[in-house]
Amino acid sequence: MDRVNPGAAGVGTDEGDRVTARALVVQNGRSGPRRFATWLAEHDVELDVRHPYRGDELPGTPEHDALIVLGGGYLPDDDARAPWLAPVRDLVGAAVESGSPYLGICLGGQLLAHVGGGEVQGQYGTPEFGSTALTLRPEAAGDALFVGVPHDPTAIEHHVDAITRLPAGAVWLASSEACPYQAFRLGDSAWGLQFHPETTPERINTWSQASLDRHGLDRAELHDAAVRDDARAAGIWQQFAARFAARVTGG
């Protein structure tokens, strides 16, 4: 497990940097919280990153101020290949029930949909890879995290599975041309995203060549387009991360 607290964390005092909140991050594969670690630390949120796929233990009940679940190449109930997903589902359910801030990214968003009674299907619809145009729905204007996001942001995508039905009572926040359910909120403090606001264009350079070839994609083209779009997107998602941090710290 890693405790991620880049040097900018907190507000400097005579007693050193101040950390006011801790978020548990469940990392389901090689890709970690990346720039979200820095962005959240700038607003007094320290990350406790656990790698259950490598054997890190997860708490049986929530012990942190927030929960963040990252992506991975599994369906939410793929317990045969990823047996740690069962306790992750329990944690997600506990976060929703308690109202603790939750942010689910890609698989993490699909887990929220699954736990809430929605539906996720494997290899459904058109896969999305690279920088993707999103469209915010009118409901986003009143959402605590999306309120400052432009109507037409971009974000990096990397998925072949998709949410096909939102949980009852969920607030639908964003879509894309190929994937309707790009973002939603369940309750007041749990958000599910299909896209990756935390990642950077450089991540594209690590994607499986076999997978790109299978979908007829050119890595260089994907990377160059993501770099162009990230000149605008990085600032958008940095402010998004700041608003999530405010939910965590009560700021």
Side-chain angles (χ1 to χ4, degrees):
M1 67 190 69
D2 302 323
R3 284 175 173 77
V4 181
N5 186 10
V11 178
T13 68
D14 292 340
E15 298 178 356
D17 287 341
R18 174 173 56 87
V19 175
T20 62
R22 295 174 69 243
L24 173 64
V25 177
V26 178
Q27 183 173 324
N28 294 292
R30 291 184 300 164
S31 186
R34 296 184 173 266
R35 58 189 178 186
F36 257 44
T38 299
W39 291 345
L40 293 174
E42 289 170 349
H43 297 277
D44 299 343
V45 178
E46 179 186 64
L47 304 186
D48 178 5
V49 183
R50 309 283 180 98
H51 311 81
Y53 72 101
R54 295 196 317 215
D56 286 357
E57 292 186 4
L58 297 175
T61 57
E63 300 173 350
H64 299 69
D65 300 296
L67 175 63
I68 300 171
V69 179
L70 302 178
Y74 311 98
L75 287 169
D77 57 353
D78 196 357
D79 294 357
R81 292 195 304 145
W84 67 86
L85 288 177
V88 175
R89 291 194 300 270
D90 290 342
L91 284 173
V92 174
V96 173
E97 183 175 356
S98 68
S100 177
Y102 173 81
L103 182 64
I105 295 173
C106 199
L107 172 58
Q110 295 170 2
L111 278 160
L112 179 63
H114 177 85
V115 168
E119 182 177 71
V120 180
Q121 292 192 36
Q123 301 190 34
Y124 181 89
T126 303
E128 292 180 304
F129 294 86
S131 185
T132 301
L134 307 176
T135 300
L136 265 59
R137 292 173 54 82
E139 294 87 342
D143 182 78
L145 299 193
F146 281 88
V147 62
V149 176
H151 176 71
D152 59 345
T154 60
I156 291 176
E157 304 264 3
H158 188 224
H159 73 98
V160 297
D161 307 329
I163 298 167
T164 55
R165 179 169 52 83
L166 292 178
V171 179
W172 185 11
L173 299 170
S175 63
S176 70
E177 183 176 351
C179 181
Y181 301 123
Q182 286 286 344
F184 69 98
R185 189 184 74 248
L186 189 59
D188 293 330
S189 298
W191 286 267
L193 313 178
Q194 183 60 72
F195 59 91
H196 287 269
E198 86 290 359
T199 201
T200 62
E202 287 66 38
R203 175 65 177 154
I204 295 171
N205 293 326
T206 71
W207 289 354
S208 163
Q209 186 62 53
S211 177
L212 295 176
D213 291 344
R214 187 162 56 250
H215 294 285
L217 299 169
D218 181 270
R219 186 190 306 277
E221 290 181 1
L222 291 177
H223 178 266
D224 290 348
V227 169
R228 289 194 299 271
D229 288 348
D230 202 53
R232 174 178 181 244
I236 292 171
W237 302 122
Q238 184 175 13
Q239 291 303 310
F240 178 92
R243 288 189 286 274
F244 182 71
R247 297 289 292 198
V248 177
T249 63

